[in-house]
Amino acid sequence: MTTQKVEQLKQLFEGIRRAQSDGRFSPHKPLLLLLALARAQQGAQRLTRLEDIDPQLQQLLREFGPTNAAKSRHYPFWHLQTDGKGQLWEVVGPASLLQRNPGATPNLSELKQDSVFAGFSESVDKSLKQEPALIPELGHLLLQSYFPETLHADIAEAVGLDLTVTNHRVEDASESYESVIRKKRTRAFREMVLRAYEYRCCVCGFDLRIGHIPAGLEAAHIQWHTAGGPDIGPNGLSLCALHHKLFDLGAFTLTPDSQKIVFSEHAVSGTRGLTGELQHHGKSALEPTSAEAKPGAHFLEWNWSHVFKREARTLVRI
């Protein structure tokens, strides 16, 4: 496959319409595409019924999507056919359904009919079969575009996608330059946030160092960078690796007004005692040393709306 065709294929995946331009987060399309890539990698049929993948798609959206995202899980099964001028995704079904305006989404029951199938277009499927190494590359592209790095391995495992790239491609000079700039920006953001919290996790106070190097501490974006969250102090929290993962999974968040730590009703602690994670529920997060780095209420509101698994446990007044 020529380099030009490979780039065209990547552009199809990068060009899917996002519900993120105003800060909203909708993982439906990327999760369905990742699931389709995993099926292609495993040699499954190009087209599938929604009924056959519905349980897995429902679980994916419950785990990695906003609250109630699973209720609209059938949307991408239908709407992906209009992305990339119809070159990426195909829907096959009765004429009465296909002649419907693409914006008129069939309901879940209609798309679960035995005669309705969807999947990659024939040209995309052919490309993936000709060059299987493209599958993990496209998987990485979707994950990097839509989800924080803390969730990449979990999502890949959940969809059954092997992200090992067996045929590494040499990127062009401009892409390499952008990659270097992004790494520098990420390092600068991390240092700024960790310094503001005096190299401590703002939830549990974890502050282990190996010599002079902080270990297991990470700078978390409150509004995900992939959803337009900026690399600035008010959009950052200093978290240990465990609490960063739990934060990105929506197990807890900070209240926008008082910045108290609140855990989701869906988060269950095995010990329930003072040694369990729920010991932090209702407590105030550690504050940054600089007022300029104080978490922004609008970023916390975004996290509450798009990541936190609502509803919150009852907040105990302390």
Side-chain angles (χ1 to χ4, degrees):
M1 185 182 300
T2 65
T3 301
Q4 182 179 4
K5 286 186 177 180
V6 170
E7 291 307 313
Q8 289 174 346
L9 183 59
K10 289 182 178 180
Q11 288 172 12
L12 282 180
F13 280 78
E14 290 179 325
I16 58 175
R17 290 192 303 279
R18 307 181 180 202
Q20 295 182 338
S21 58
D22 60 353
R24 289 183 296 164
F25 171 59
S26 179
H28 297 66
K29 286 182 179 179
L31 285 175
L32 179 56
L33 289 173
L34 285 164
L35 184 57
L37 284 173
R39 287 174 51 80
Q41 193 175 59
Q42 297 157 11
Q45 293 292 322
R46 176 174 71 90
L47 303 178
T48 184
R49 298 185 310 156
L50 178 59
E51 178 74 24
D52 295 333
I53 61 171
D54 186 54
Q56 189 175 8
L57 188 58
Q58 188 172 6
Q59 187 62 28
L60 285 169
L61 284 164
R62 283 176 176 168
E63 291 185 11
F64 304 110
T67 305
N68 298 324
K71 290 184 178 180
S72 53
R73 62 191 180 277
H74 57 294
Y75 284 14
F77 194 82
W78 173 259
H79 287 295
L80 272 172
Q81 66 179 314
T82 59
D83 283 286
K85 298 180 180 179
Q87 299 178 56
L88 175 63
W89 193 259
E90 180 181 2
V91 177
V92 175
S96 58
L97 188 71
L98 298 182
Q99 290 172 358
R100 185 179 299 187
N101 186 307
T105 311
N107 60 41
L108 184 62
S109 298
E110 289 177 306
L111 289 178
K112 279 190 172 184
Q113 295 179 55
D114 289 341
S115 56
V116 180
F117 292 78
F120 289 131
S121 66
E122 289 185 355
S123 61
V124 169
D125 184 67
K126 181 179 179 181
S127 297
L128 297 178
K129 287 178 178 176
Q130 285 180 343
E131 198 147 357
L134 280 171
I135 294 177
E137 286 191 36
L138 294 169
H140 279 294
L141 186 153
L142 288 169
L143 289 168
Q144 290 167 1
S145 298
Y146 278 90
F147 302 97
E149 192 173 350
T150 52
L151 302 183
H152 290 184
D154 295 290
I155 294 173
E157 182 178 357
V159 300
L161 179 63
D162 182 358
L163 290 174
T164 305
V165 180
T166 57
N167 182 21
H168 180 68
R169 297 180 179 279
V170 177
E171 305 292 349
D172 63 34
S174 62
E175 289 175 333
S176 298
Y177 175 77
E178 290 173 0
S179 175
V180 169
I181 293 300
R182 183 171 183 176
K183 288 179 180 178
K184 286 183 178 179
R185 181 184 61 196
T186 301
R187 286 198 296 268
F189 174 71
R190 177 180 183 274
E191 178 61 25
M192 172 180 59
V193 172
L194 297 191
R195 186 172 60 251
Y197 286 88
E198 298 182 301
Y199 301 92
R200 297 176 297 169
C201 172
C202 70
V203 172
C204 66
F206 179 87
D207 61 354
L208 181 68
R209 294 179 182 238
I210 300 176
H212 298 289
I213 302 174
L217 277 178
E218 300 169 356
H221 285 85
I222 301 171
Q223 178 176 336
W224 291 355
H225 191 270
T226 54
D231 287 331
I232 59 176
N235 191 39
L237 292 176
S238 175
L239 296 172
C240 65
L242 171 62
H243 284 115
H244 190 177
K245 182 70 166 289
L246 294 177
F247 185 64
D248 284 346
L249 282 171
F252 77 91
T253 192
L254 304 187
T255 57
D257 51 356
S258 62
Q259 298 188 4
K260 288 191 179 294
I261 302 161
V262 290
F263 272 79
S264 165
E265 289 181 342
H266 300 280
V268 180
S269 173
T271 58
R272 293 280 184 161
L274 292 178
T275 58
E277 287 308 310
L278 294 181
Q279 66 173 304
H280 305 296
H281 179 67
K283 295 183 178 179
S284 296
L286 294 175
E287 294 185 1
T289 56
S290 169
E292 287 75 19
K294 183 178 180 180
H298 57 295
F299 294 129
L300 291 172
E301 287 168 357
W302 181 93
N303 191 273
W304 172 274
S305 299
H306 299 287
V307 179
F308 181 63
K309 298 294 190 294
R310 301 190 303 275
E311 292 294 327
R313 291 174 171 273
T314 301
L315 188 60
V316 179
R317 296 188 180 278
I318 300 177

